Amino acid sequence: MKAKPAAAPRPSRARARTTSIAAFVVLAALVPTTASASGTQEVEAELPYVCTLPSGPQPATVRVSAEFPERALAGEAFTPSGVTTTVELPDQAVADLAARDAAGVRAATRLGVGVTQNAATATATWRGSAEPVALPESGPLTLVTKGDVPSVAGRGDGDLTFSAGTLAIDLALEAADGTATDAATATATADSGSGAGSLTVDCALAEDAPGQGLLATVPVGTGSAAPSGSPSSPSPSGPAGTSGAPDDGQPDGPGDREAERQSERSPKVLENTPGTAADRDEVPPCRYDEQHPPTDVSLNAYVTGYANVKKMKGAAYLPPSCVLIEQGIPVPGPPDPDYLIFDTVSYANFHYQERRQTPPFEATFLSFDFAPVKATMVLEQTDTMRIDSRMKMSMTDFSTTTDTYVRAPLVLHVLDLEVNGTPLDVGSECRTETSLISEDPDPANFPGDHLVLYGRGELLIGQPATGYLLLSGGVLSGEATIPAFTGCGTDGEDLDRLLTASVSGPGNLIKQVQGQTCAIAAPVFPSPTNEGQCTEDLQPYEIPVAEH
């Protein structure tokens, strides 16, 4: 593993759309989980593998690069970014594929990554996809895949080590006549390892791999140095000859109490891969029902993100939450000789158990830099969220830009509170005095307290869209003041000042990510030729990943 200069950040992914667009967003929890990492470490590991090809086992080289935080605190979730997996298969692999009448391939990779903290373990799957490549006339076949990966949080102090384990390569084969099976089909047939036009190659880490597959180490804790005794190269977690990736942290048997305790301390892996069954089990339902019947312009989507709390020098994480949207009808905007302008007003509401709120979520922080505080909270709407979008199309090159302002009246409601492990009864009415507050760019037309977030989407003819578009999702950002708290405490105990002193104040930056929407009236289901936008029961297919 070697360090190299930090790479430029990756642009946000967005799909091209030409229909009218709007936007929505919600604010993350505003009690911080922990202080955010002060910097990043970029690592690149080159590892030997043995891959099972049709002709038999063959050596291969796998290079994994990614950016990790330099440090995290206990309970703080972070996501490795810029993850790239480069697989170099030997020339024998080219011969094997050519024997199947393939002229090119499209690859999708699934890398098992073991996460270890002290003696506790967990396993994450890093998925990546690649553009089609032609088979070389001679020499090795190089496949480069990129993709989003799950978030990880340490349960306590101690180094988090990430180690590469087993690797599966799903290959969609392109015939000499140009016909092909896409990567989605290849992945769908991976379990059987068969299927027309597809092939799955299974690879195992070589026994002589340096550091037994070690990718990175992230110290977790409040100290300035990594805890003593933390392994720099984790030992294999299975029998001789198995991968260096740790197992899933499950105890060997019901009677093994120590193993059960280790399992409870295992690092938490938050699977973020869109559309997987595991992800859907971890998020609330997001569908229309009899009490909320859809219309011809109804959309639904998940949103997630982070918000900084300036006072606490920390960041808070909001798990995926469901929002139901009624998209407005575009109307002509102000005349402009250089642009064709349309304005759209849309409306949105949280949807959780028939209430306009997020699901309850927990956050932990250090109040006044020393007292650990854990809170369970929800964000509640006091009125409908309003979305104002203006789309401008250039009359010269037909490029479009869309500026969106989201106005959301949201109060933060604290349900439970613990200080240094001691529960404090906050009562049933502990919340911010008013909605979260932003400076509105048009206060005359939009008075009152509300959160304002902004996003811009751009679309050039023949190129993918960038920025935020309602249909394909993306990132919006803003800044808010957290009001004072009120109604906190029972039996004469006033906790308002504790929360106000710890959290309330201006200058809190917010970054939110919305996933691909599902258009209820015209759902797009996953297929070999289309990316999924809706599940069969008309929920959003994509579950987005929060970004710092």
Side-chain angles (χ1 to χ4, degrees):
M1 184 172 61
K2 62 181 181 180
K4 62 181 183 180
R10 295 179 298 161
S12 300
R13 177 187 57 83
R15 303 184 186 95
R17 301 292 180 198
T18 57
T19 59
S20 61
I21 54 180
F24 76 92
V25 74
V26 295
L27 178 66
L30 288 178
V31 178
T33 53
T34 55
S36 298
S38 59
T40 59
Q41 54 171 319
E42 185 167 343
V43 299
E44 183 173 321
E46 182 171 308
L47 302 169
Y49 272 74
V50 177
C51 296
T52 303
L53 297 164
S55 58
Q58 298 287 340
T61 299
V62 176
R63 291 183 293 275
V64 181
S65 60
E67 290 184 2
F68 294 82
E70 290 181 347
R71 174 175 291 279
L73 295 182
E76 179 184 18
F78 63 87
T79 308
S81 61
V83 176
T84 301
T85 302
T86 303
V87 182
E88 187 175 288
L89 296 173
D91 51 6
Q92 183 59 51
V94 178
D96 288 349
L97 297 175
R100 293 185 170 221
D101 295 326
V105 295
R106 181 194 294 267
T109 55
R110 291 172 284 134
L111 177 65
V113 175
V115 187
T116 300
Q117 187 178 41
N118 301 319
T121 62
T123 301
T125 300
W126 288 8
R127 294 175 172 86
S129 59
E131 295 298 317
V133 296
L135 294 183
E137 294 183 0
S138 62
L141 172 63
T142 301
L143 306 170
V144 180
T145 66
K146 298 180 179 181
D148 294 323
V149 302
S151 300
V152 175
R155 296 293 182 94
D157 290 354
D159 284 359
L160 276 177
T161 59
F162 294 75
S163 301
T166 57
L167 172 68
I169 310 169
D170 301 317
L171 299 175
L173 310 183
E174 180 176 300
D177 61 4
T179 60
T181 300
D182 67 13
T185 303
T187 303
T189 60
D191 291 339
S192 64
S194 61
S198 67
L199 174 68
T200 294
V201 177
D202 292 317
C203 305
L205 189 71
E207 294 182 1
D208 60 348
Q212 296 176 328
L214 180 65
L215 298 176
T217 299
V218 178
V220 176
T222 57
S224 60
S228 61
S230 299
S232 58
S233 298
S235 299
S237 59
T242 61
S243 162
D247 59 24
D248 61 3
Q250 296 300 315
D252 295 331
D256 192 342
R257 295 182 179 179
E258 177 60 26
E260 291 177 358
R261 288 193 292 268
Q262 294 293 354
S263 179
E264 292 173 356
R265 295 195 295 268
S266 295
K268 188 173 183 180
V269 176
L270 308 173
E271 289 288 345
N272 298 322
T273 305
T276 65
D279 287 346
R280 203 153 298 281
D281 291 342
E282 297 173 0
V283 299
C286 190
R287 62 170 69 91
Y288 289 84
D289 51 34
E290 293 182 358
Q291 289 73 34
H292 301 83
T295 69
D296 290 343
V297 292
S298 292
L299 308 169
N300 54 357
Y302 285 107
V303 63
T304 184
Y306 287 95
N308 288 339
V309 179
K310 184 177 180 180
K311 229 177 207 184
M312 303 301 300
K313 303 176 183 178
Y317 168 67
L318 176 71
S321 300
C322 172
V323 176
L324 306 182
I325 310 155
E326 290 298 299
Q327 187 178 15
I329 304 300
V331 299
D336 190 307
D338 298 321
Y339 294 93
L340 185 63
I341 300 177
F342 288 95
D343 291 333
T344 305
V345 179
S346 302
Y347 297 94
N349 288 297
F350 283 121
H351 185 60
Y352 177 72
Q353 296 184 352
E354 305 304 327
R355 301 171 185 169
R356 295 194 303 179
Q357 66 174 56
T358 67
F361 52 89
E362 288 187 354
T364 303
F365 64 96
L366 293 177
S367 181
F368 306 109
D369 293 329
F370 71 89
V373 177
K374 181 172 73 173
T376 303
M377 301 161 289
V378 296
L379 285 168
E380 298 174 342
Q381 287 179 237
T382 60
D383 203 347
T384 302
M385 290 186 277
R386 174 175 171 134
I387 305 139
D388 290 274
S389 299
R390 171 165 291 180
M391 183 178 70
K392 299 174 63 176
M393 176 181 290
S394 170
M395 301 301 291
T396 56
D397 60 5
F398 301 105
S399 63
T400 63
T401 61
T402 300
D403 294 301
T404 299
Y405 289 93
V406 179
R407 295 172 171 92
L410 299 170
V411 296
L412 182 63
H413 186 176
V414 180
L415 304 178
D416 295 294
L417 187 67
E418 290 184 9
V419 178
N420 203 24
T422 302
L424 300 180
D425 189 354
V426 296
S428 60
E429 298 299 326
C430 180
R431 65 189 70 216
T432 52
E433 289 181 340
T434 67
S435 168
L436 305 166
I437 305 167
S438 298
E439 182 178 349
D440 199 296
D442 188 5
N445 289 316
F446 301 100
D449 295 332
H450 51 267
L451 170 70
V452 179
L453 292 167
Y454 168 77
R456 163 170 282 200
E458 298 182 342
L459 179 62
L460 302 178
I461 299 299
Q463 297 185 26
T466 59
Y468 183 90
L469 301 178
L470 173 65
L471 295 181
S472 57
V475 176
L476 294 97
S477 59
E479 184 175 309
T481 294
I482 306 170
F485 285 80
T486 185
C488 304
T490 58
D491 299 329
E493 185 176 20
D494 186 358
L495 301 177
D496 293 347
R497 289 182 293 177
L498 170 65
L499 287 170
T500 299
S502 301
V503 177
S504 301
N508 303 287
L509 301 178
I510 304 159
K511 184 176 183 181
Q512 298 288 281
V513 182
Q514 177 216 313
Q516 167 75 43
T517 58
C518 170
I520 306 302
V524 176
F525 303 111
S527 72
T529 57
N530 289 309
E531 295 186 50
Q533 298 178 12
C534 305
T535 63
E536 292 297 329
D537 59 349
L538 299 181
Q539 297 191 70
Y541 184 79
E542 181 177 355
I543 300 171
V545 179
E547 299 178 6
H548 279 293

